[in-house]
């Protein structure tokens, strides 16, 4: 079992919603900050959002007001609720776990889940 597994991606029309999940196994996710990244073809990897251990959060300007990151420590999971999706939100979304704050080297990374936004 990989340490982080994402799910919840899929095809959605512009304006639609998806909720991505990041499930951890083999370690306690509560002790880590967790970030979501998006990788789109031909584009730089982009950090979308991150949630620290103290549940403080940060978001890329492009998703503020539309995306919400949250964590459920009892389930060892982190979520990314994505609303009002736009075609430019499409890409492979993966989560990472940082041993400290939402910066620097991460310790774990998932394989990703694909998000397609198209009519």
């Amino acid at each position: 079992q990989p340490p982080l597994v994402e799910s919840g991606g899929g095809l959605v029309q512009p304006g639609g919603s998806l909720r991505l999940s990041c499930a951890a196994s083999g370690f306690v996710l509560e002790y880590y900050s967790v970030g979501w990244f998006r990788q789109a073809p031909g584009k730089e990897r982009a950090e979308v959002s991150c949630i620290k251990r103290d549940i403080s959060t940060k978001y890329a300007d492009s998703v503020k007001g539309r995306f919400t990151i949250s964590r459920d420590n009892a389930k060892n999971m982190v979520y990314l609720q994505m609303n009002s999706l736009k075609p430019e939100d499409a890409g492979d979304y993966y989560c990472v776990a940082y041993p400290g704050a939402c910066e620097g080297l991460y310790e774990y990374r998932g394989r990703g889940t694909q998000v397609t936004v198209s009519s």
Side-chain angles (χ1 to χ4, degrees):
Q1 182 84 4
L4 290 174
V5 177
E6 302 89 344
S7 61
L11 171 64
V12 64
Q13 292 185 343
S17 298
L18 286 173
R19 187 176 84 151
L20 305 185
S21 299
C22 172
S25 66
F27 70 102
V28 180
L29 197 58
E30 179 179 4
Y31 301 146
Y32 293 77
S33 298
V34 179
W36 283 97
F37 284 84
R38 177 179 64 239
Q39 180 69 65
K43 295 185 178 180
E44 294 279 330
R45 180 187 73 172
E47 183 182 50
V48 175
S49 183
C50 194
I51 185 166
K52 294 184 180 179
R53 291 166 55 181
D54 64 1
I55 70 170
S56 60
T57 58
K58 66 174 184 177
Y59 298 91
D61 288 342
S62 61
V63 307
K64 283 180 181 176
R66 299 188 297 121
F67 290 13
T68 303
I69 191 170
S70 61
R71 65 193 310 160
D72 186 335
N73 292 331
K75 294 183 178 180
N76 223 25
M77 295 187 70
V78 167
Y79 304 98
L80 185 68
Q81 178 67 44
M82 307 189 296
N83 299 328
S84 302
L85 282 160
K86 304 175 180 180
E88 52 264 41
D89 295 321
D92 183 50
Y93 283 71
Y94 61 93
C95 57
V96 302
Y98 299 95
C102 293
E103 58 187 6
L105 297 177
Y106 52 78
E107 188 166 338
Y108 302 103
R109 172 192 162 161
R111 294 178 180 175
T113 185
Q114 188 69 32
V115 172
T116 304
V117 184
S118 175
S119 54

